[in-house]
Amino acid sequence: MLRDIDRSFVSGPHSGVFETIGNMQPHHVHAVASSIVACGKDGGGRQQYSLEPRSGRWRVHSAGDALANRLERGGDECGGLASDGGNSLYVAARSGAVVGDSRLHAPALLRFALDGADGALATRAAAMAHGDGVDGRFSEPSGLACCGTRVYLADKSAGSVLAFDARTLRHLYRCGRPGKGDGELDRPRAVAAHAPRNVAAHQLYVIDRGDGSGRLQHFSVSDRGECTYLRSLGGGRLPAPRAVAVGDGHLYVACRVGLCVLEMCEGTLLQTLAPPAPPRAQKGAQLDAACWLPKLGAVCAASAENNMLCVWRLER
């Protein structure tokens, strides 16, 4: 089970709740080594947090240590973050974002090489896929996931999830079709991927609008790109889901009421973790992003409205 948190860092190593620096409004979060990379919306910039082993406290790096000069501020330019658990960080950049010395005139998927354990990024993108290309066209990236040799990108406007080669970012296939029925995608906003042991197919978990309040759907994708709808998860008990993460046999869904923890195999809701609201909180426990921290055995969730990050440690 997951240990609850309080307003400080005294709940144990790797746990805590804290406000981000400035008016960042974290919209996407992902793990890089033992750090959390957070990307803000509405020009909020980027920040990177790492755990100090001795004190068990989280500290923030300046943006220049993490993503500065890679994606400059320019509105809600980040459409997703993902990493391969090794030396690559993937960023979905929306049209208008500034990458290096150039402003993107179309959305793009970028792969940056990590230069060290602290998660510092290489100066230039190691690979890039343009959203207006002949193959793999996308226009409104809204979520990213990396699983093995594949990177999955949710395209909100097209109602589908695209798969790319994790090294070259060559487009491979497209999963799903637009619609509101079972197995169809209605403006998908988040995606997570998992590769079970002894199973060749990847498991995709996609959050889309559905009937308006949001839903979480489970798909199986073969190496050839054959996408099979399996089920909807949560039994209608996931209020306004915004993001999903996979880790340690659980699904972590960022919702209006907090972080909903689901058992992966059965899809049953185990518990809901409601973070304490900071003094300036305006919208209760609404969470907008989530990521699993495999090296720490912890899960992180972000609230853009409340400008905070929360970390829960998994008790074994």
Side-chain angles (χ1 to χ4, degrees):
M1 300 297 288
L2 294 169
R3 171 178 292 183
D4 280 332
I5 58 175
D6 58 18
R7 293 176 185 267
S8 67
F9 298 94
V10 298
S11 54
H14 310 170
S15 299
V17 57
F18 49 97
E19 293 187 58
T20 54
I21 305 301
N23 189 30
M24 182 190 180
Q25 297 182 292
H27 198 50
H28 297 281
V29 291
H30 205 79
V32 175
S34 295
S35 300
I36 301 168
V37 173
C39 186
K41 67 177 184 178
D42 299 329
R46 293 126 322 266
Q47 295 170 9
Q48 183 175 357
Y49 296 82
S50 63
L51 186 72
E52 294 179 337
R54 292 185 179 180
S55 65
R57 293 176 178 267
W58 293 89
R59 65 183 179 90
V60 63
H61 296 273
S62 68
D65 292 336
L67 296 173
N69 301 321
R70 313 314 191 255
L71 283 175
E72 295 294 337
R73 298 183 182 185
D76 188 6
E77 79 280 10
C78 182
L81 294 171
S83 70
D84 61 359
N87 63 350
S88 293
L89 176 70
Y90 302 90
V91 180
R94 296 195 174 109
S95 178
V98 176
V99 180
D101 298 326
S102 303
R103 182 175 295 276
L104 295 176
H105 297 289
L109 173 61
L110 304 100
R111 179 174 69 86
F112 292 103
L114 301 173
D115 286 339
D118 60 351
L121 296 182
T123 303
R124 296 182 180 275
M128 179 184 297
H130 293 279
D132 59 353
V134 176
D135 296 323
R137 185 182 295 269
F138 57 93
S139 60
E140 195 175 356
S142 53
L144 277 182
C146 183
C147 187
T149 60
R150 300 286 184 266
V151 175
Y152 296 97
L153 180 149
D155 186 5
K156 185 178 291 186
S157 61
S160 60
V161 175
L162 290 78
F164 297 85
D165 181 270
R167 186 178 65 85
T168 65
L169 298 188
R170 178 176 61 90
H171 176 250
L172 300 173
Y173 47 82
R174 187 183 294 266
C175 305
R177 62 183 184 275
K180 297 184 179 182
D182 290 343
E184 298 177 334
L185 297 176
D186 180 28
R187 296 189 61 80
R189 62 171 301 132
V191 60
H194 173 60
R197 293 182 180 179
N198 304 319
V199 177
H202 286 175
Q203 307 301 300
L204 288 188
Y205 303 92
V206 185
I207 291 176
D208 71 333
R209 186 168 56 180
D211 61 359
S213 60
R215 61 181 175 178
L216 174 62
Q217 297 193 89
H218 179 195
F219 299 84
S220 178
V221 184
S222 70
D223 290 340
R224 297 189 298 271
E226 298 167 340
C227 186
T228 303
Y229 167 74
L230 299 179
R231 56 185 172 167
S232 290
L233 300 173
R237 293 187 292 169
L238 301 175
R242 298 285 186 90
V244 57
V246 178
D248 204 58
H250 297 89
L251 296 172
Y252 305 96
V253 184
C255 296
R256 185 177 60 231
V257 296
L259 189 69
C260 296
V261 183
L262 281 70
E263 197 275 331
M264 186 182 297
C265 293
E266 300 298 329
T268 54
L269 180 63
L270 298 179
Q271 64 182 133
T272 300
L273 302 173
R280 294 195 298 272
Q282 299 295 319
K283 298 191 177 182
Q286 174 69 67
L287 296 176
D288 303 281
C291 71
W292 174 248
L293 305 170
K295 292 193 175 182
L296 302 179
V299 61
C300 173
S303 172
E305 288 86 352
N306 294 329
N307 199 44
M308 70 177 184
L309 299 176
C310 305
V311 180
W312 288 270
R313 179 173 63 88
L314 187 68
E315 286 189 331
R316 301 184 182 278

